[in-house]
Amino acid sequence: LTGVWVRSSETEDLRVDGRGCEDYRCVEVETDVVSNTSGSARVKLGHTDILVGVKAEMGTPKLEKPNEGYLEFFVDCSASATPEFEGRGGDDLGTEIANTLYRIFNNKSSVDLKTLCISPREHCWVLYVDVLLLECGGNLFDAISIAVKAALFNTRIPRVRVLEDEEGSKDIELSDDPYDCIRLSVENVPCIVTLCKIGCRHVVDATLQEEACSLASLLVSVTSKGVVTCMRKVGKGSLDPESIFEMMETGKRVGKVLHASLQSVLHKEESLGPKRQKVGFLG
């Protein structure tokens, strides 16, 4: 663990970059960065850079859920993010991330999908969530979940009316007013907190260097109220039950703080309206 862990006689809660075990790096969040989407966000977490766009399109409800819309996830691992993604190198990781997103959104409490229904069994809104990995600097899952939540918060879906004539045929009329739209409640959308086991301790927001020293990690999906919606172990190493319990408790504690900070930033940014300054290469 040379160069990753700093031990002193006073405390072991110290990492090579000066952070404690439960500290995140500085997170930069910017919404409404892509003009041709219904909602978008860019998140920078250390050297990890994520761009998410949400596109709302009309579709047909699924047979098993006729009164709901649904979300589709697609993850693109840019070849410029890391040399490992050249060719089809990032396909497996992209599929793994997309499957993880499906898992954390596969419950009724995350997003109220009934608000996406236009006409039961006939028409609904489908939200296509596209995730682009621009740069990989460790802790991908956490950064992506933050970016997805921010993009969904920024998403505006046109309000529609279903008009039925005397013969029973239905027409869909979209509102011409750009401000007449539906906003999703993201209060219960979970964020992922990844805890990497290094030696006898576990850390959040691991850098690439720290990830290389960890044989096992626990991905914990946590809501703003500290409720764990799902868990997943990654890595070849093993975790004993006591460690898993401790990591879960840390994940819940850290997750609540992460949600509170994110919500504060999102509401503050939105309150600035069109006056807010655009930053980054998309500004």
Side-chain angles (χ1 to χ4, degrees), residues 135-265:
E135 189 174 356
C136 299
N139 203 19
L140 282 177
F141 286 92
D142 295 29
I144 288 170
S145 70
I146 293 169
V148 168
K149 180 166 183 171
L152 289 174
F153 174 84
N154 180 242
T155 297
R156 288 163 172 78
I157 304 167
R159 195 175 296 278
V160 298
R161 290 192 304 161
V162 179
L163 307 174
E164 188 171 352
D165 59 21
E166 296 176 354
E167 297 177 355
S169 60
K170 296 178 181 179
D171 286 326
I172 295 176
E173 183 181 272
L174 269 73
S175 173
D176 295 331
D177 184 357
Y179 295 100
D180 186 19
C181 56
I182 300 170
R183 298 289 299 275
L184 291 172
S185 171
V186 298
E187 183 181 353
N188 293 321
V189 171
C191 283
I192 296 173
V193 178
T194 303
L195 301 110
C196 291
K197 189 75 181 288
I198 302 177
C200 60
R201 302 294 297 270
H202 52 265
V203 301
V204 302
D205 187 23
T207 62
L208 284 176
Q209 193 179 15
E210 288 171 330
E211 287 180 349
C213 295
S214 175
L215 293 177
S217 300
L218 194 68
L219 273 61
V220 184
S221 171
V222 188
T223 68
S224 58
K225 295 177 182 177
V227 177
V228 175
T229 60
C230 73
M231 278 193 316
R232 177 168 166 251
K233 188 193 83 71
V234 295
K236 298 177 181 178
S238 60
L239 295 171
D240 60 87
E242 186 177 348
S243 292
I244 293 173
F245 178 77
E246 290 177 0
M247 293 165 90
M248 280 181 60
E249 291 302 308
T250 301
K252 289 192 284 186
R253 186 167 58 249
V254 172
K256 288 174 72 174
V257 176
L258 178 63
H259 276 288
S261 300
L262 178 60
Q263 284 293 111
S264 175
V265 168

Side-chain angles (χ1 to χ4, degrees), residues 58-134:
M58 282 193 192
T60 305
K62 295 181 179 179
L63 289 174
E64 64 273 19
K65 297 177 180 179
N67 300 318
E68 298 179 2
Y70 55 95
L71 282 72
E72 294 282 359
F73 295 97
F74 177 75
V75 181
D76 181 17
C77 300
S78 171
S80 62
T82 173
E84 297 173 13
F85 292 166
E86 289 183 6
R88 302 181 64 85
D91 287 1
D92 290 343
L93 177 61
T95 302
E96 181 186 356
I97 293 170
N99 288 340
T100 301
L101 290 172
Y102 278 118
R103 279 191 63 186
I104 70 172
F105 280 92
N106 188 28
N107 62 74
K108 294 181 179 179
S109 60
S110 292
V111 176
D112 184 7
L113 297 176
K114 289 184 179 180
T115 60
L116 299 177
C117 182
I118 299 170
S119 178
R121 295 183 177 84
E122 294 178 350
H123 303 286
C124 71
W125 287 109
V126 182
L127 300 185
Y128 293 95
V129 183
D130 293 314
V131 180
L132 177 61
L133 277 61
L134 298 172

